[in-house]
Amino acid sequence: MKRIFYFTFSIFFLCLGLTACSPSGTPDSPEVPTTVPSPTEVPATPTPTGSGADAGKLKGYVGMVKRYKLDEYVNKDIIDAQIKYAEDLIASDTATQEEYDMALQAIKDALSLLHDGSGWPNFKYMQAKEEYPDAFTFLDGSKVETADDWTKRSEELLGMYQYYMYGVIRDGSEETLSYDYNGSAATLTISRGEISSSFKINVSLPDASKVEMPKDGWPVIMALGWFAQTQYANDRGYAVITFDYTKIASDDTTRKGVFYDLYPYGETWEEQTGALAAWGWGFSKIIDALEQGLGETCHINPENSIVTGVSRCGKSAAVAGAFDKRIRISVPACSGAGGMAMFRYSSEGHTYDFSSIGSDAAYTFGDNEPLSSLQSGAERHWFNDNFKEFSNVNKFPFDQHMLASLYSGQDRYLFIISSYIYEDWTNPPAMWETYKEAKKIFEFLGEGDHIAFQIHREGHAVIDEDVVALLDFADYHLYGKTDIETDFAKFDTCIFAEQEPLTQ
């Protein structure tokens, strides 16, 4: 089969010429595939030439691809080579159906390898896949087999999320920080070059006369916006810091705020950070301040930090902890799509028996938040521009169990909060799916108890029972306390695990 040898052999050498950039402050380039994968669906027996072989589908696809604007891709030669081969094959009029089909698949595979210089495969021509992406498979098709492999895979995932979705995470290497503390609040000033910008944080500390302080200082809960259970947390020996996230980055498309003062939103992906990641940067700046002296002043231990937020702020808390490894526990609450809900899992029309929690015996989920909502004028600023280009969630090269998996390792923890009823938009069953799939990675690393799924009856919020469970979880994992109220076994089950939907 000389023709088949030609197109696989030629594309191998063309792909060896892939180039990638790794500008300062942006993710390292991935190990992109260097060969086009072999087609997986071809006839078992070649169809003879003549009237039985039909080149119509290949002709149509070649014509469509030739109309694509591919000049933005630095390795477009891989497409030109496959188009030329396909046209020669069609002109020969001697090909088998197997050869036509393989040529068609080779063009599709070559499209998926195009990149803009970043090294990351293009998003416009990705092939849709309904099944969950395999967290244990690298982009080049190799498998994760050891803990060291997983470390490399997690770095690849971090890069993917920056390029395709949340935007570039700033590492602070170009910044200087100072702070001014007055006893209940602090003003943090961050400078980058000649530009400086500031934001305020509110600090609430436990009463050392009522609760014993750990020798290294209070653990701290940091919350976007507010934290309703501040007094309870203080009484349990946890400091609480809150801040107005809209001062960090406006919750609209204007791209204003402290973060964008320092890192203006640009035209290229290397210059783009969405609001979710920008708000998460605020958590990192607080940890910086604590490490630089504010922690000693307030008797707060920055090594035992917990971050949380609800809804869009829950999405941000999930992103923050995935990228800043100093964060010990992340608590994304009711975060939904773009947070802890699997994109590929829809619960719309699914009916469950919720009578065991005092609700309907037949509760049917309504609309889940669609991709179009995240890409709308009201929400698109949460992400980078590349994210807007995806037309189908099945084309994502990841799903949110992969974001959750980035909490595995190094004494880090993920505490997902959801709600059963009146939360159709946030798709609670999809958050359970994320938990199930992510736990496989945690268990692979011997850390199955580092991830928890806490679900309450109702409330688009972190409610009191959640905080009791969270602080028990933190007391156990951060301090080894066993005199706790919560049965951790409940974190590993829920109604979505115990019953199949009554209708779907």
Side-chain angles (χ1 to χ4, degrees):
M1 301 290 282
K2 292 182 179 179
R3 295 190 183 93
I4 297 175
F5 175 78
Y6 169 78
F7 68 69
T8 56
F9 186 76
S10 64
I11 205 161
F12 172 80
F13 281 100
L14 284 166
C15 288
L16 283 180
L18 292 176
T19 59
C21 62
S22 182
S24 176
T26 59
D28 291 336
S29 301
E31 293 293 329
V32 294
T34 55
T35 60
V36 171
S38 299
T40 56
E41 294 184 7
V42 295
T45 302
T47 303
T49 56
S51 60
D54 183 5
K57 185 179 293 187
L58 179 60
K59 286 180 181 178
Y61 201 77
V62 166
M64 178 180 67
V65 172
K66 290 178 72 173
R67 293 192 293 272
Y68 288 165
K69 297 179 180 179
L70 302 179
D71 289 340
E72 63 188 281
Y73 300 105
V74 300
N75 59 334
K76 67 181 291 291
D77 287 350
I78 65 174
I79 296 298
D80 296 338
Q82 293 310 310
I83 293 296
K84 182 179 185 307
Y85 170 73
E87 290 179 330
D88 290 347
L89 191 68
I90 293 167
S92 73
D93 199 30
T94 60
T96 66
Q97 188 65 51
E98 179 183 25
E99 289 177 304
Y100 287 144
D101 292 342
M102 291 185 73
L104 175 62
Q105 186 62 47
I107 296 173
K108 293 179 179 180
D109 291 337
L111 281 171
S112 71
L113 294 178
L114 290 172
H115 70 90
D116 55 10
S118 66
W120 296 102
N122 83 88
F123 41 83
K124 292 182 180 178
Y125 307 113
M126 286 181 174
Q127 298 180 46
K129 297 180 180 179
E130 293 184 1
E131 65 273 13
Y132 298 155
D134 182 9
F136 292 104
T137 301
F138 288 90
L139 281 176
D140 67 2
S142 60
K143 296 292 185 178
V144 171
E145 297 180 352
T146 67
D148 286 343
D149 289 343
W150 177 253
T151 298
K152 295 175 184 177
R153 173 60 168 155
S154 64
E155 289 301 317
E156 184 174 74
L157 293 174
L158 288 168
M160 289 169 62
Y161 274 111
Q162 290 181 76
Y163 179 74
Y164 295 112
M165 190 171 179
Y166 297 116
V168 176
I169 304 299
R170 309 299 175 169
D171 62 11
S173 59
E174 301 176 351
E175 304 166 3
T176 58
L177 180 146
S178 60
Y179 62 87
D180 180 46
Y181 177 62
N182 67 9
S184 62
T187 298
L188 277 52
T189 300
I190 302 93
S191 301
R192 179 177 181 244
E194 298 180 357
I195 301 174
S196 296
S197 198
S198 304
F199 69 99
K200 177 184 175 182
I201 62 174
N202 302 303
V203 182
S204 181
L205 299 173
D207 185 342
S209 68
K210 297 180 180 179
V211 59
E212 182 179 358
M213 181 193 303
K215 64 178 182 179
D216 294 325
W218 308 113
V220 59
I221 298 171
M222 297 181 287
L224 292 160
W226 70 93
F227 190 69
Q229 296 81 13
T230 293
Q231 187 59 58
Y232 174 76
N234 286 168
D235 291 343
R236 288 277 301 262
Y238 286 77
V240 175
I241 294 177
T242 60
F243 63 101
D244 182 351
Y245 59 93
T246 64
K247 300 298 183 184
I248 303 294
S250 58
D251 194 8
D252 55 39
T253 57
T254 61
R255 307 285 187 187
K256 294 180 179 180
V258 174
F259 180 87
Y260 293 119
D261 289 343
L262 302 174
Y263 299 99
Y265 196 85
E267 295 297 323
T268 65
W269 75 273
E270 298 97 333
E271 302 169 324
Q272 296 178 353
T273 301
L276 297 180
W279 297 336
W281 173 88
F283 286 130
S284 296
K285 296 309 101 182
I286 295 171
I287 295 176
D288 287 347
L290 293 172
E291 291 179 340
Q292 292 180 27
L294 182 60
E296 183 177 357
T297 298
C298 298
H299 304 293
I300 290 175
N301 180 3
E303 293 185 1
N304 285 337
S305 59
I306 302 169
V307 302
T308 190
V310 178
S311 196
R312 66 195 64 190
C313 296
K315 304 180 202 293
S316 180
V319 176
F323 284 90
D324 191 333
K325 304 303 183 184
R326 297 174 299 176
I327 294 170
R328 293 292 298 280
I329 305 175
S330 184
V331 189
C334 305
S335 57
M340 286 290 99
M342 293 286 268
F343 282 111
R344 286 172 170 80
Y345 188 90
S346 172
S347 63
E348 293 179 6
H350 290 198
T351 301
Y352 291 89
D353 181 356
F354 284 165
S355 59
S356 63
I357 59 169
S359 187
D360 298 342
Y363 183 96
T364 301
F365 279 92
D367 292 343
N368 302 153
E369 184 169 21
L371 179 61
S372 60
S373 178
L374 298 178
Q375 295 173 330
S376 71
E379 299 179 2
R380 68 188 184 205
H381 58 280
W382 295 347
F383 311 95
N384 67 2
D385 287 359
N386 283 347
F387 183 75
K388 295 186 297 184
E389 300 299 325
F390 285 92
S391 59
N392 181 345
V393 296
N394 291 333
K395 289 191 174 185
F396 286 136
F398 48 73
D399 215 317
Q400 297 309 84
H401 64 303
M402 294 177 171
L403 183 69
S405 74
L406 294 173
Y407 287 86
S408 58
Q410 300 300 314
D411 293 325
R412 302 181 70 242
Y413 307 88
L414 179 61
F415 192 92
I416 302 169
I417 294 177
S418 186
S419 178
Y420 279 117
I421 64 174
Y422 312 135
E423 282 288 290
D424 306 14
W425 192 249
T426 67
N427 197 356
M431 286 186 269
W432 170 252
E433 287 292 307
T434 291
Y435 169 78
K436 283 196 311 179
E437 294 301 313
K439 187 161 184 177
K440 296 175 183 177
I441 292 97
F442 282 80
E443 290 177 337
F444 169 76
L445 297 170
E447 300 164 353
D449 64 344
H450 285 210
I451 183 171
F453 186 78
Q454 163 69 17
I455 184 165
H456 52 249
R457 181 180 181 275
E458 65 179 292
H460 191 63
V462 176
I463 68 173
D464 293 352
E465 69 181 69
D466 300 331
V467 179
V468 172
L470 167 63
L471 297 189
D472 283 351
F473 182 81
D475 278 350
Y476 175 77
H477 287 290
L478 302 184
Y479 297 104
K481 297 181 180 179
T482 56
D483 183 17
I484 53 180
E485 175 182 337
T486 304
D487 178 4
F488 291 170
K490 75 169 188 171
F491 295 148
D492 204 32
T493 189
C494 66
I495 290 175
F496 308 129
E498 295 167 352
Q499 59 176 261
E500 292 293 325
L502 302 176
T503 60
Q504 56 180 323

